[in-house]
Amino acid sequence: EATLGDGLHSLWWNGNPARTNTILGPHWHHFAGAAAVRETIGGAEVFFPPGAFGQTNLALAERLVAQVAGWVPDGAHVTEFHAGCGAIGLGLLARAGHVTFNEIAPAALAGLALGLAARPPAERARAAVLPGPAAAHVDAVHGADVVLVDPPRKGLEAALLARLVDHPPARLI
């Protein structure tokens, strides 16, 4: 730590005792520095703790988030499934009527909590978090003007896909 000085953001150790092809394991130890990487995306501070997914091309991520924001009307009630650390939805809080975030990954939920804490109180009051699998929160589609889905590579859960097909929102992004 002393050798790197200001060049050191943080120092973490990760252990994976399982014999799998999974790179990161469940064991983390924080030695020094910040608890999360902080980036500004879509006008909001977004926090990425170790183990949370983040886009590697920040300029492209910013453009994608701006495009999505352009499709969300002011005052809309938004539900975002697979919200991660909030890179898309946190910036919408400034002008949305309400944003409901859904996420399952503990590291992403920790980052989302940090991002929400960094927003002004009036914006935090217009946010809700539904932790757990998206399939457990399909009722959040009802009442949403806009539904955002940013699923992992395996795609949308069958229950969420069925709900979106049976009860399509006014706008699906």
Side-chain angles (χ1 to χ4, degrees):
E1 178 181 355
T3 305
L4 291 175
D6 292 339
L8 178 68
H9 175 274
S10 57
L11 180 61
W12 291 81
W13 171 86
N14 176 258
N16 186 357
R19 290 179 173 249
T20 70
N21 65 350
T22 301
I23 296 169
L24 298 176
H27 305 291
W28 291 93
H29 181 76
H30 181 212
F31 287 101
V37 171
R38 180 180 64 195
E39 300 290 351
T40 300
I41 303 172
E45 288 184 312
V46 182
F47 295 82
F48 298 95
F53 174 80
Q55 296 293 340
T56 56
N57 187 327
L58 291 175
L60 182 57
E62 180 68 34
R63 289 177 48 206
L64 289 169
V65 168
Q67 182 69 52
V68 169
W71 292 330
V72 176
D74 289 350
H77 284 238
V78 178
T79 297
E80 182 180 6
F81 290 98
H82 304 284
C85 294
I88 298 172
L90 285 171
L92 296 175
L93 280 169
R95 58 187 188 78
H98 191 271
V99 179
T100 299
F101 299 88
N102 161 254
E103 178 54 49
I104 190 171
L109 285 166
L112 181 57
L114 291 169
L116 286 168
R119 304 306 302 159
E123 291 182 21
R124 286 196 308 268
R126 295 192 310 273
V129 177
L130 301 174
H137 299 291
V138 296
D139 289 341
V141 169
H142 297 296
D145 303 309
V146 178
V147 173
L148 301 173
V149 292
D150 187 10
R153 289 184 184 155
K154 66 182 178 180
L156 291 177
E157 297 89 335
L160 177 57
L161 182 57
R163 181 60 57 98
L164 291 168
V165 169
D166 293 342
H167 303 285
R171 188 165 292 182
L172 175 64
I173 303 171

